[in-house]
Amino acid sequence: GDFQIAELGFGTGLNFLVTWAAWDSAGRPGQLHFTSFEAFPMNLDDMGQALVHFPQLQHYAGMLLGTWHPDLGATTLEDGPILHVVTGDARLTVPAWQSKADAWYLDGFSPAKNPQLWEPALLAAVGAHTKSGGTAATYSAAGHIRRSLQDAGFAVTRTDGYGRKRHMTRARMPHAE
C-alpha cells in the first residue's frame, strides 16, 4: 500500500532521491509520499551542482529538478512519488501537519549546527505525527536525543552506525494496544 516518509531538512533532496531509487528497485506497490520540512529551500541550480556527485541518481535528479519547485506544494513526479516540501520553521510546521508518517528521517542537520531541530517539543511533535508501528532514525546517538524520542513515545535503541559513525539511533512507535 501507500507509504508516507517525513523528514526534517530537505537540503539537496539527496535523501528523497535515494529513497525514490530504492522504492523503484524494490518494485513496491502503492504510492510513496515524501514530506520534508525545510526552513530555507536551496535554489535548483545549487541542488543540481551538489547532485552531480551522485551519478547513479542522475535519472531521478533530472526528473526532480525538471518538475519540482519549492513553491509548488505537493508535486507528483513522473511515475514516481508525491513530494511535498513544507517551507518554514519545523517547530511550527510539523505540529500543524495534517498527516502521520510511517517513517521519519531526522538528519537534515547535526544537533550542534541546528539545535532547534532537536528540541524535545519538536521531537514530541514528530512522535505525535508517527503512525502506530512507525519508525524514526538518526545518525545521532546523543543521550538527550534518545531521551527526547523516548519521551515522545518511541521505543529507542542505539545500534551500529554506518561509515565513520560508530553508533546511531533507531526508534519505533509501539503499536496501540
Side-chain angles (χ1 to χ4, degrees):
D2 291 359
F3 197 78
Q4 170 72 63
I5 294 175
E7 125 182 283
L8 298 181
F10 188 65
T12 63
L14 184 59
N15 282 345
F16 168 70
L17 295 173
V18 169
T19 300
W20 184 3
W23 182 268
D24 272 1
S25 69
R28 278 195 57 137
Q31 179 71 54
L32 174 62
H33 298 263
F34 196 102
T35 302
S36 188
F37 297 91
E38 173 61 64
F40 304 104
M42 290 178 73
N43 75 53
L44 297 178
D45 289 340
D46 290 346
M47 286 173 63
Q49 288 298 312
L51 293 170
V52 163
H53 301 288
F54 301 93
Q56 67 277 28
L57 296 172
Q58 286 313 298
H59 169 72
Y60 297 100
M63 288 193 283
L64 171 65
L65 297 171
T67 305
W68 175 79
H69 188 275
D71 300 331
L72 281 179
T75 306
T76 303
L77 290 133
E78 184 181 340
D79 297 325
I82 297 171
L83 171 64
H84 192 190
V85 177
V86 179
T87 303
D89 185 328
R91 293 172 295 181
L92 303 174
T93 57
V94 172
W97 190 37
Q98 297 298 305
S99 193
K100 288 189 173 193
D102 293 289
W104 279 91
Y105 298 161
L106 299 179
D107 279 306
F109 299 94
S110 75
K113 289 193 175 102
N114 272 68
Q116 66 272 24
L117 287 182
W118 301 96
E119 290 175 0
L122 177 54
L123 294 177
V126 166
H129 289 85
T130 302
K131 293 177 185 173
S132 178
T135 61
T138 170
Y139 282 116
S140 175
H144 71 96
I145 290 171
R146 293 202 317 269
R147 284 188 295 280
S148 290
L149 288 167
Q150 285 173 330
D151 291 345
F154 287 99
V156 177
T157 52
R158 189 174 86 161
T159 61
D160 290 337
Y162 293 97
R164 294 177 299 210
K165 200 70 182 110
R166 285 206 3 240
H167 298 107
M168 62 176 282
T169 300
R170 291 192 179 148
R172 180 174 292 280
M173 189 59 67
H175 289 282
E177 297 301 318

